[in-house]
Amino acid sequence: MKKVAIIGLGVIGGSLGMALGATGRYHVIGIDRDPEALRMAAETGAAAEVTGDACTGVRQADVVFLAVPVTAIMEMAEVIKDSLPPRAVVTDVGSTKRLVVETLEKYFSGRFVGGHPMTGSEIRGIRGADQYLFENAVYVLTPDSRTDTQALEMVRAVVEDTGARVLCVSPEEHDLMVAAVSHLPHLLAVSLMNLAAGVAAEHPETLTLAAGGFRDLTRIASSHSSMWRDVYATNRRNIVEVSRRLRSYLKTIEESLLREDFDAVVAEMQRARRERERIPLRTRGLLPAIYEVMVTIPDRPGSIAEVSTAIAAEGLNIVDIEIVRVREGDGGTLRVAFKKSEEADLAQRVLKERGFVARRR
Amino acid sequence: MKKVAIIGLGVIGGSLGMALGATGRYHVIGIDRDPEALRMAAETGAAAEVTGDACTGVRQADVVFLAVPVTAIMEMAEVIKDSLPPRAVVTDVGSTKRLVVETLEKYFSGRFVGGHPMTGSEIRGIRGADQYLFENAVYVLTPDSRTDTQALEMVRAVVEDTGARVLCVSPEEHDLMVAAVSHLPHLLAVSLMNLAAGVAAEHPETLTLAAGGFRDLTRIASSHSSMWRDVYATNRRNIVEVSRRLRSYLKTIEESLLREDFDAVVAEMQRARRERERIPLRTRGLLPAIYEVMVTIPDRPGSIAEVSTAIAAEGLNIVDIEIVRVREGDGGTLRVAFKKSEEADLAQRVLKERGFVARRR
């Protein structure tokens, strides 16, 4: 049984504990200064033992996860540095890497491996923790020239046991990549929201016009500003770089529009579409092709039960389900997805036999 | 029974027909040049009668919906202009308004009312049509100084019968507002996608890092370029205007970052968060507050059936359901939402009694 100490029992720390504990191969020691987090960690199985004292907690650890905010990482490193067993390996989960790796290599040298799970939860704290948080998620490790190979392999093995898929890149490369795919989207969501609010100041109904899509696009603008402050503070140069590139791109599009060169604009749209198809479909472990049935359901207790029971009676497994629209008191559309086309066909047939309006998508 | 002629039986036209037909108060005449669309319209109840001949189809219409692409609107106006009854009213569903209104008032004067339903479907054509497409959706009408009051009231009444909520603004105002909340988001999604692809060209794993959020944000970049070409062509000045405003805003943020003035950046994030809370939560007819339970479920036939049956047995109505994560062969997290907190509490209790891991969110 490997001993894993997790400092910081928030969403990430809590989920790590749950995932590793569930394998039966890890003894998880949960460490937090909040007694409530310790209690919940013990209760939910996120940790086999808990303590408020980090030095005690890491004393026998094989691997230590620093799952605290980036700004607290240095403080924690200072606290535990003399309490670790000589062969212990340390890793973190911060969303920027270059600064963190630089700092923690001062404390732990090659025994520190930078890490960043590309996943999370809208809920803060251990209430958002989930045993399956890392399933099929990408988990980046950022070894550099100082990193011990053994330390890297140890962290890799533990991370893979949570269900995650490990990707190794340098700390600098990581920071530019996340600036493009994570930080810039956040900046754009904030900018778009504030721009729309500016238009709404002169044209009051603007936000009413914002269909479901706008609200979804700007969802990330509502996330926790303290975490994002750290991100902008530790990755500002890369964020400025990608923001500049974006501005330059927008300017080119504007020029095409002013010239009425719509072909050029369409070419960019088509390029975006092609490129987007290259993003791997990893979420939920679904195969790239999903076979769906759209069912019209009345908005009353029992509708979903009836539909899903009919499907289960055929031995079919629902891989995804979603209410697409609901009219209060009248009904809506339920989207049910299956792994195979034949399964979707059978489900549709069965539901139609029971009087549902059901359509293959 | 009012007679409504719908020219163009795609997603919008088909759904209009279904929604109006379902009220029992409208005789819908479906018109399209594609015999397959006519057949499906008849079969699905999108139209009580169908024809490929627009002149015949509109001959007795009280209201005519031009549900064809913006570029075909002028052509259709030309075709039907001498076949309409004198008191017939004409409306369209195009996503830009100023140019359309200007053009169609030449044909129909004050009997034309510009319209734009702020809704749609990812599926093209009548297969994507849905009786509930307009439920709680905003449907913009754009009367101007030439518009007959009676014509406006006629169209408003019909549109409200689909379940939509009518909003009246001028054509020019509409076009600026949608540039901000609909067209700019599309442009940003395209730009973001192409920028990330550019980074990926030098750093191959970039798109692998793109978590679920990035893929969602750029989803709109994958939609149909022919429709968007029309949008950019007919609303280019407003799109350039909002794009310029966005570039200016980004530049200000960049300058704050270079100065290391993170407080300024955080202030903008907090502003975006406040403003976003002002967007009405209209989709799915849910109340602004949703009360949710997260249930861990095994990935096998019957899980969803068991959960939803247990909930239905208590007389509880599920207002939203979603699989949050699925680990193939092992399980995942189901999110189930209710209208009241007490309902969510009861559902959680009932599920725990049955041995499920269920947590209030």
Side-chain angles (χ1 to χ4, degrees), chain A residues 179-212:
Chain A
V181 303
S182 178
H183 306 161
L184 182 60
H186 176 263
L187 178 55
L188 290 178
V190 170
S191 306
L192 183 60
M193 190 60 245
N194 287 335
L195 184 145
V199 174
E202 295 163 51
H203 305 279
E205 299 283 13
T206 302
L207 296 182
T208 309
L209 247 56

Side-chain angles (χ1 to χ4, degrees), chain B residues 155-168:
Chain B
V155 176
R156 183 202 296 268
V158 176
V159 163
E160 282 175 349
D161 273 343
T162 67
R165 295 192 284 147
V166 167
L167 182 70
C168 288

Side-chain angles (χ1 to χ4, degrees), chain A residues 143-210:
Chain A
D144 64 6
S145 51
R146 297 182 68 178
T147 315
D148 287 349
T149 312
Q150 278 178 319
L152 175 62
E153 291 317 308
M154 169 80 93
V155 175
R156 184 201 296 267
V158 175
V159 162
E160 282 176 349
D161 272 345
T162 66
R165 296 193 282 144
V166 167
L167 182 71
C168 287
V169 296
S170 74
E172 293 78 16
E173 214 177 348
H174 166 276
D175 287 359
L176 176 64
M177 288 156 80
V178 295
V181 303
S182 178
H183 306 161
L184 182 60
H186 176 263
L187 178 55
L188 290 178
V190 170
S191 306
L192 183 60
M193 190 60 245
N194 287 335
L195 184 145
V199 174
E202 295 163 51
H203 305 279
E205 299 283 13
T206 302
L207 296 182
T208 309
L209 247 56

Side-chain angles (χ1 to χ4, degrees), chain A residues 28-283:
Chain A
V28 176
I29 305 137
I31 302 160
D32 202 291
R33 67 178 123 199
D34 175 9
E36 182 59 17
L38 294 179
R39 190 190 65 73
M40 286 200 65
E43 190 181 285
T44 56
E49 65 174 281
V50 296
T51 172
D53 178 1
C55 292
T56 308
V58 303
R59 209 176 291 287
Q60 299 196 311
D62 297 302
V63 181
V64 177
F65 278 84
L66 291 169
V68 294
V70 162
T71 42
I73 278 183
M74 203 155 59
E75 178 196 326
M76 283 318 308
E78 190 61 49
V79 163
I80 64 170
K81 66 185 201 269
D82 299 319
S83 304
L84 293 173
R87 298 169 60 85
V89 165
V90 182
T91 184
D92 79 310
V93 300
S95 50
T96 60
K97 297 265 57 76
R98 189 188 59 76
L99 224 51
V100 170
V101 170
E102 198 178 277
T103 306
L104 292 188
E105 279 180 355
K106 289 183 186 141
Y107 288 93
F108 307 113
S109 189
R111 290 182 306 147
F112 175 75
V113 182
H116 178 203
M118 301 294 298
T119 183
S121 168
E122 284 172 29
I123 316 164
R124 284 188 103 168
I126 198 166
R127 285 184 194 286
D130 186 328
Q131 177 185 338
Y132 299 111
L133 191 72
F134 307 101
E135 276 305 319
N136 282 316
V138 171
Y139 200 123
V140 183
L141 297 180
T142 58
D144 64 6
S145 51
R146 297 182 68 178
T147 315
D148 287 349
T149 312
Q150 278 178 319
L152 175 62
E153 291 317 308
M154 169 80 93
V155 175
R156 184 201 296 267
V158 175
V159 162
E160 282 176 349
D161 272 345
T162 66
R165 296 193 282 144
V166 167
L167 182 71
C168 287
V169 296
S170 74
E172 293 78 16
E173 214 177 348
H174 166 276
D175 287 359
L176 176 64
M177 288 156 80
V178 295
V181 303
S182 178
H183 306 161
L184 182 60
H186 176 263
L187 178 55
L188 290 178
V190 170
S191 306
L192 183 60
M193 190 60 245
N194 287 335
L195 184 145
V199 174
E202 295 163 51
H203 305 279
E205 299 283 13
T206 302
L207 296 182
T208 309
L209 247 56
F214 183 89
R215 201 164 188 286
D216 292 337
L217 281 172
T218 51
R219 181 191 312 282
I220 199 179
S222 286
S223 51
H224 312 295
S225 47
S226 57
M227 185 201 99
W228 282 102
R229 187 202 173 102
D230 290 347
V231 163
Y232 280 84
T234 55
N235 203 22
R236 64 190 180 102
R237 288 191 212 283
N238 285 314
I239 293 171
V240 168
E241 170 59 21
V242 293
S243 176
R244 278 184 183 150
R245 292 190 200 185
L246 191 93
R247 282 196 291 118
S248 169
Y249 184 91
L250 286 176
K251 194 153 193 291
T252 312
I253 298 277
E254 286 170 36
E255 285 160 4
S256 296
L257 288 176
L258 290 169
R259 276 196 321 263
E260 297 187 64
D261 183 359
F262 304 116
D263 284 346
V265 178
V266 168
E268 289 305 303
M269 289 187 223
Q270 289 168 337
R271 189 179 139 215
R273 199 173 183 182
R274 279 193 314 270
E275 295 288 1
R276 191 169 173 273
E277 269 148 35
R278 294 174 50 207
I279 301 174
L281 260 172
R282 282 172 287 97
T283 34

Side-chain angles (χ1 to χ4, degrees), chain B residues 59-349:
Chain B
R59 208 175 292 288
Q60 300 195 312
D62 297 302
V63 182
V64 178
F65 279 84
L66 291 168
V68 294
V70 163
T71 41
I73 277 184
M74 203 154 61
E75 179 195 324
M76 283 317 308
E78 190 62 49
V79 164
I80 64 170
K81 67 183 201 272
D82 300 321
S83 304
L84 292 173
R87 297 168 63 83
V89 165
V90 183
T91 185
D92 78 310
V93 300
S95 50
T96 61
K97 298 265 56 76
R98 190 190 59 77
L99 225 49
V100 170
V101 171
E102 198 178 276
T103 304
L104 291 189
E105 279 181 354
K106 290 184 186 142
Y107 287 93
F108 307 114
S109 188
R111 291 182 305 148
F112 175 75
V113 183
H116 179 202
M118 300 293 298
T119 184
S121 168
E122 284 172 29
I123 316 164
R124 286 189 102 168
I126 198 165
R127 283 181 197 290
D130 185 328
Q131 176 185 338
Y132 299 112
L133 191 71
F134 307 101
E135 276 306 318
N136 283 316
V138 172
Y139 199 121
V140 183
L141 297 180
T142 57
D144 64 7
S145 52
R146 296 183 69 178
T147 314
D148 288 348
T149 312
Q150 279 179 319
L152 174 62
E153 292 317 309
M154 170 80 94
V155 176
R156 183 202 296 268
V158 176
V159 163
E160 282 175 349
D161 273 343
T162 67
R165 295 192 284 147
V166 167
L167 182 70
C168 288
V169 296
S170 74
E172 293 78 15
E173 216 177 344
H174 166 276
D175 286 0
L176 176 63
M177 288 156 78
V178 295
V181 303
S182 179
H183 307 161
L184 182 61
H186 176 264
L187 178 55
L188 290 179
V190 170
S191 307
L192 182 60
M193 190 60 247
N194 287 336
L195 184 144
V199 173
E202 296 162 49
H203 306 280
E205 298 285 10
T206 302
L207 295 183
T208 309
L209 246 56
F214 183 90
R215 202 164 187 284
D216 292 337
L217 280 172
T218 51
R219 182 191 311 283
I220 199 178
S222 286
S223 51
H224 312 294
S225 47
S226 58
M227 184 201 100
W228 282 103
R229 187 205 172 98
D230 290 348
V231 163
Y232 280 83
T234 55
N235 204 20
R236 66 191 179 100
R237 288 191 213 283
N238 285 314
I239 293 171
V240 167
E241 170 59 23
V242 294
S243 178
R244 278 184 184 148
R245 291 189 200 185
L246 192 95
R247 282 196 291 118
S248 170
Y249 184 91
L250 286 175
K251 194 153 192 292
T252 312
I253 299 276
E254 285 170 36
E255 285 160 4
S256 297
L257 289 175
L258 289 170
R259 277 196 322 265
E260 295 186 67
D261 183 358
F262 304 117
D263 283 345
V265 179
V266 169
E268 289 305 303
M269 288 186 223
Q270 289 169 336
R271 188 178 140 218
R273 198 174 184 180
R274 279 194 314 271
E275 295 287 0
R276 190 167 173 273
E277 270 149 33
R278 295 175 49 208
I279 301 173
L281 260 171
R282 281 169 290 96
T283 34
R284 303 180 188 160
L286 293 171
L287 297 176
I290 311 162
Y291 305 95
E292 298 171 314
V293 182
M294 307 291 281
V295 193
T296 304
I297 52 164
D299 184 21
R300 59 154 201 266
S303 307
I304 294 175
E306 204 182 336
V307 169
S308 51
T309 300
I311 289 170
E314 301 297 322
L316 299 173
N317 193 26
I318 296 173
V319 296
D320 198 13
I321 186 168
E322 183 190 3
I323 294 183
V324 177
R325 263 174 299 280
V326 163
R327 173 182 186 170
E328 281 201 50
D330 196 35
T333 307
L334 190 70
R335 178 181 69 85
V336 196
F338 303 89
K339 238 194 242 181
K340 301 184 191 172
S341 187
E342 312 86 77
E343 292 179 354
D345 283 338
L346 176 54
Q348 183 203 12
R349 201 154 60 242

